[in-house]
Amino acid sequence: MPELRPTMYLSPENTVRVWQERQELRPTVRWSEMMHEEHSRAFTVAKIAKLDLLAAVQKSLDKVIRDGGTFETWKANILPELRRAGWWGEVSDPALTGTDQPIIVNDRRLRTIYRTNIRMSIAAGRWRRFQAQKELFPYLRYRSDHPRKHPRQDHLSWHGIILPVDHPWWQEHFPPNGWGCNCLPEQVSEGMLKRRGWKVTTDLPPSARERFYPAGRTDPIMVPKGIDPGFSYNPGTAHLRAIADKALESVEDAAQAGLAKAAQQTIREIVADPAFDQFAALPDQPFPIAALTADQAAAIGATARTVRFSLQTLEKQKRRHAELTIADYRLLPEIISNPAHALREDDRKVRLLWESDGQWWRATVKATEQGDELYVLSMHRVGANEVAALVRRFAAIVEWFSAW
């Protein structure tokens, strides 16, 4: 059973919400058939090939995550169903396991299923809490499970590392970092740093990488030494990737179906959600930020309808317009969908000017060469005089975008 101490202050809703988004059932033979972010989208148990049995295991774990319970309680509830299905003891039924090789299903296998699913859901829920509280606790400290009799030396070497919550290191080293790993991240405030004489880590220990070949793939993934291959990811941001991917797909489908207003409203709700605050913690993961009508997309040669906000743009914005906040970026859906002026820069790029409460904003949107993707390139405040100058300049050389 996961330790009570690290979860006693964790909102149950955080863990349950993460679990709810893993409703797709995906049979697998080997654990490595589903890696990293895939676990935030679907539920699997290696060597359960029948969906009804997989659904029964998922339902039983769902009850534990929602209502609480020990491994012994969960085992007592699920074991009769496993026995009835024949998935207990030595199992040699390929239709049931997906493999011609006999497998052993015993207490140890059930304990692994229980601990892994509970702990990864808790870890993802814990990340939600850290993100929500990072203004008060801007750092995380790695706490290895060093009191154990035989600690993992790599994990022990990370003990005491203190880094900002959104530091890239946490994308691979956010615990648990292996089967049975009991390491924990600890929230740290500026006050705690001073009181305890701690320092933010500036020189991370060197981390060698090892090749791992997931089942059914010819290309390897590189895993930091000391982390089991199935754990070298952050379950919190993997969950956010799932949200972003699902949102991009859903909004694009709605816009392509002619439901531009519905797509725009969906994006407003997504951008208003606290998950958007965590966007910066998603390396290379674009986020949906606006939906265009068919005419608007056609005006800049795009077949896509969903405008994406990429991490590359956000990093550029931080360098050039560090004064902007997440609250400012939440204005982008309105700036892009309902500008006061839309000015063509070239066949694939448009400047959009929007005013609110006397403040003017400018955003630039561009379609890719193939037209299959749309991206925000920039956003910043502009003065009324600059707006007037832009309007005069563009009115003299191009036609206005009637699509907007």
Side-chain angles (χ1 to χ4, degrees):
M1 176 180 178
E3 223 182 321
L4 177 62
R5 177 171 49 84
T7 64
M8 62 189 301
Y9 298 113
L10 182 64
S11 167
E13 291 80 6
N14 284 336
T15 302
V16 170
R17 282 182 65 189
V18 172
W19 174 260
Q20 285 176 323
E21 278 139 16
R22 297 177 60 209
Q23 295 305 301
E24 177 191 343
L25 300 177
R26 193 180 304 176
T28 57
V29 175
R30 288 163 289 186
W31 66 266
S32 58
E33 289 178 41
M34 268 178 58
M35 293 292 290
H36 302 170
E37 285 82 4
E38 293 175 321
H39 284 283
S40 64
R41 297 170 171 83
F43 173 78
T44 192
V45 173
K47 295 183 173 63
I48 292 185
K50 287 192 173 180
L51 285 177
D52 56 348
L53 181 57
L54 192 58
V57 175
Q58 182 193 44
K59 183 178 179 181
S60 67
L61 287 168
D62 181 85
K63 181 173 175 57
V64 173
I65 287 174
R66 291 175 184 277
D67 303 334
T70 64
F71 167 73
E72 287 71 22
T73 303
W74 174 72
K75 178 185 172 184
N77 289 332
I78 193 60
L79 191 54
E81 293 199 51
L82 300 181
R83 290 184 185 277
R84 280 195 298 272
W87 204 75
W88 183 253
E90 183 173 331
V91 186
S92 302
D93 182 358
L96 189 58
T97 65
T99 176
D100 294 330
Q101 301 298 318
I103 68 166
I104 301 298
V105 183
N106 53 18
D107 186 87
R108 181 178 178 181
R109 184 180 287 268
L110 291 191
R111 194 175 294 275
T112 298
I113 293 169
Y114 174 86
R115 287 168 65 93
T116 302
N117 278 280
I118 299 295
R119 287 190 174 187
M120 295 308 275
S121 291
I122 287 174
R126 187 180 289 130
W127 180 261
R128 282 177 182 256
R129 186 190 73 190
F130 293 163
Q131 287 290 330
Q133 298 179 354
K134 65 185 178 184
E135 287 191 12
L136 295 175
F137 299 91
Y139 308 105
L140 297 180
R141 178 174 179 263
Y142 194 100
R143 292 174 52 191
S144 73
D145 187 26
H146 57 278
R148 65 191 297 174
K149 187 174 181 180
H150 299 292
R152 304 182 193 199
Q153 292 304 308
D154 291 292
H155 296 197
L156 182 59
S157 72
W158 303 330
H159 181 74
I161 286 178
I162 299 175
L163 294 167
V165 173
D166 290 328
H167 192 283
W169 194 78
W170 296 116
Q171 294 306 309
E172 293 182 316
H173 294 78
F174 191 80
N177 285 315
W179 307 103
C181 171
N182 290 317
C183 298
L184 290 171
E186 176 184 12
Q187 289 180 286
V188 177
S189 66
E190 294 284 359
M192 290 172 66
L193 287 177
K194 293 177 182 177
R195 288 193 302 272
R196 302 184 185 184
W198 290 342
K199 301 288 185 183
V200 176
T201 304
T202 54
D203 295 317
L204 287 168
S207 178
R209 291 180 171 271
E210 301 172 330
R211 285 187 175 86
F212 175 75
Y213 289 85
R217 304 185 190 182
T218 57
D219 55 317
I221 61 173
M222 302 303 293
V223 180
K225 186 176 180 298
I227 299 181
D228 293 346
F231 291 80
S232 59
Y233 74 106
N234 182 319
T237 53
H239 156 75
L240 292 171
R241 285 182 189 278
I243 291 177
D245 281 345
K246 187 181 293 185
L248 280 168
E249 181 180 351
S250 300
V251 169
E252 184 67 21
D253 287 347
Q256 292 289 354
L259 303 173
K261 289 189 180 299
Q264 290 167 357
Q265 180 57 34
T266 298
I267 284 185
R268 290 187 187 98
E269 293 171 2
I270 291 170
V271 173
D273 191 272
F276 185 69
D277 295 8
Q278 305 171 40
F279 167 64
L282 299 177
D284 302 321
Q285 175 66 59
F287 210 91
I289 203 67
L292 303 186
T293 66
D295 288 342
Q296 289 170 341
I300 49 175
T303 55
R305 304 280 278 283
T306 307
V307 181
R308 305 167 179 229
F309 192 27
S310 71
L311 184 65
Q312 289 82 356
T313 296
L314 184 58
E315 291 301 324
K316 183 177 69 174
Q317 288 286 118
K318 287 178 179 178
R319 293 192 300 271
R320 298 181 179 178
H321 303 286
E323 75 283 0
L324 297 186
T325 66
I326 286 293
D328 294 326
Y329 291 118
R330 283 194 163 98
L331 299 174
L332 276 168
E334 293 301 325
I335 296 173
I336 295 171
S337 300
N338 302 297
H341 305 290
L343 314 173
R344 186 197 303 272
E345 289 215 15
D346 58 39
D347 289 345
R348 297 197 176 276
K349 191 188 301 183
V350 59
R351 290 188 191 183
L352 303 164
L353 302 171
W354 182 79
E355 184 269 336
S356 176
D357 296 328
Q359 174 62 64
W360 282 93
W361 295 85
R362 187 179 94 180
T364 302
V365 172
K366 183 177 182 178
T368 57
E369 191 66 31
Q370 294 76 25
D372 54 350
E373 291 181 352
L374 290 157
Y375 286 95
V376 174
L377 294 186
S378 64
M379 169 196 174
H380 58 90
R381 295 183 180 90
V382 290
N385 290 339
E386 182 180 349
V387 170
L390 282 169
V391 169
R392 287 194 300 271
R393 172 187 164 200
F394 276 81
I397 60 176
V398 300
E399 294 181 0
W400 297 95
F401 273 178
S402 59
W404 265 271

